[in-house]
Amino acid sequence: MPQIISAVPVPFTRDGSVDAAEYETALRSLSDHADGVLIAGTTGEFPALDDAERLDVFRRAAAVLGPERVIAHVGHASSRQVLRLADATAAEGISRFALLSPYYLPSDADGVVGFFRALTEAHPEAAVYAYVFPERTGMEVPPELLREVMRLPGMAGVKLSGGAAARLPEYAAALGDGQELFSGDDGRLPWVVDQGGTGVVSGVSSAFPQTFAALARALAEGDTGRARAVQEDVARLVELTGPSVSRLKAALATRTGGEWACRMPLPSVADDLRAEIAEAVARFG
């Protein structure tokens, strides 16, 4: 069955504090619908979280959903920081890590492979997912370089976002047997499956989990008519709320009643769009 991994936003109050109660409410709403969660990734505003906060949201996700369903994003600018966070995360019983490729300052092939090797060697028991997002990192990880990364022991799969997701068939050829291929393009699950992918890592699914679960189920059952109808709904929801953390948080605020503020200075959501999002939550949420 195609997998839905929900990329869960972190709810903040207007003073910038993490709203733990809202976060746990959102996690519980995913329990019956998502195969897993990606915590503190791009949708989770990870650059604005300190390590203690990241560890806390990892811990809370594991407590609600079980550690086996949690993929903890331990990405940082240096391997020193990555390993510090990974050590603390592993101590909580979480063994699935996502690692964004090197970012901000440019790297080269040796630097990229070495960055992932540092994590896999320090935590040989972990399942590590490479996270490739050229628009956010400022550098490309071409398929031939990803192939080298995926040969490292412990590499469990890859998540492709932005321009890399559009090149999914090229990247698929870089994976070995049993390695998982996820797309960060929420609205293309049928295409991802057709290309041999495992599923999607979806921020929008955190606000509309039933709809995404229904699509995965219809695809697994070969119900093409049902899949086509639900895919139209998914495409509309993705267009309405993604890829925008602030729009996604507007949907979650409607679902739970919490503030769901952003800590980073993200674009505001106009009142008319917020009303449209609320209508979608009422219909699909």
Side-chain angles (χ1 to χ4, degrees):
M1 182 166 172
Q3 290 190 33
I4 304 296
I5 305 295
S6 289
V8 186
V10 175
F12 300 104
T13 59
R14 290 187 178 88
D15 68 2
S17 302
V18 175
D19 191 333
E22 283 295 299
Y23 183 66
E24 292 176 0
T25 295
L27 291 168
R28 283 192 293 271
S29 75
L30 299 172
S31 182
D32 294 335
H33 307 291
D35 297 283
V37 289
L38 176 66
I39 303 299
T42 303
T43 304
E45 297 177 78
F46 83 90
L49 297 169
D50 62 37
D51 278 6
E53 290 172 324
R54 287 171 77 172
L55 187 60
D56 184 62
V57 294
F58 296 161
R59 185 187 297 118
R60 291 179 186 277
V64 172
L65 298 171
E68 70 283 350
R69 295 173 71 184
V70 175
I71 302 175
H73 176 234
V74 297
H76 257 302
S78 72
S79 290
R80 178 185 177 89
Q81 295 166 294
V82 169
L83 297 183
R84 182 182 62 204
L85 180 56
D87 290 348
T89 303
E92 296 294 332
I94 298 170
S95 60
R96 300 174 78 191
F97 299 151
L99 180 59
L100 185 66
S101 61
Y103 56 86
Y104 191 70
L105 292 177
S107 187
D108 59 12
D110 288 343
V112 171
V113 175
F115 189 65
F116 285 95
R117 181 184 291 114
L119 178 58
T120 60
E121 289 185 348
H123 289 275
E125 78 292 346
V128 178
Y129 294 82
Y131 185 179
V132 180
F133 198 164
E135 290 82 356
R136 294 291 178 266
T137 60
M139 67 170 289
E140 296 280 343
V141 177
E144 57 271 21
L145 178 52
L146 181 66
R147 186 188 304 276
E148 293 186 49
V149 171
M150 299 308 294
R151 288 174 177 165
L152 295 171
M155 294 303 302
V158 62
K159 184 229 177 178
L160 305 172
S161 291
R167 299 173 62 190
L168 185 142
E170 298 175 60
Y171 284 98
L175 272 63
D177 292 343
Q179 291 179 323
E180 297 179 311
L181 176 61
F182 289 99
S183 173
D185 190 341
D186 306 50
R188 303 192 72 185
L189 180 60
W191 179 77
V192 170
V193 172
D194 286 345
Q195 299 302 317
T198 307
V200 294
V201 177
S202 165
V204 179
S205 69
S206 64
F208 302 96
Q210 296 98 322
T211 306
F212 277 79
L215 177 57
R217 188 165 51 252
L219 290 170
E221 294 172 353
D223 189 341
T224 55
R226 175 65 175 158
R228 189 178 302 110
V230 180
Q231 171 60 25
E232 290 178 1
D233 294 334
V234 165
R236 173 58 181 146
L237 294 173
V238 170
E239 180 184 12
L240 185 62
T241 61
S244 165
V245 175
S246 47
R247 291 186 189 185
L248 181 55
K249 286 190 168 185
L252 286 160
T254 300
R255 280 177 59 95
T256 69
E259 293 180 359
W260 285 90
C262 298
R263 184 177 280 180
M264 299 178 79
L266 303 180
S268 60
V269 181
D271 289 344
D272 57 344
L273 180 55
R274 191 175 293 272
E276 192 174 354
I277 291 171
E279 291 176 4
V281 171
R283 179 179 175 189
F284 299 103

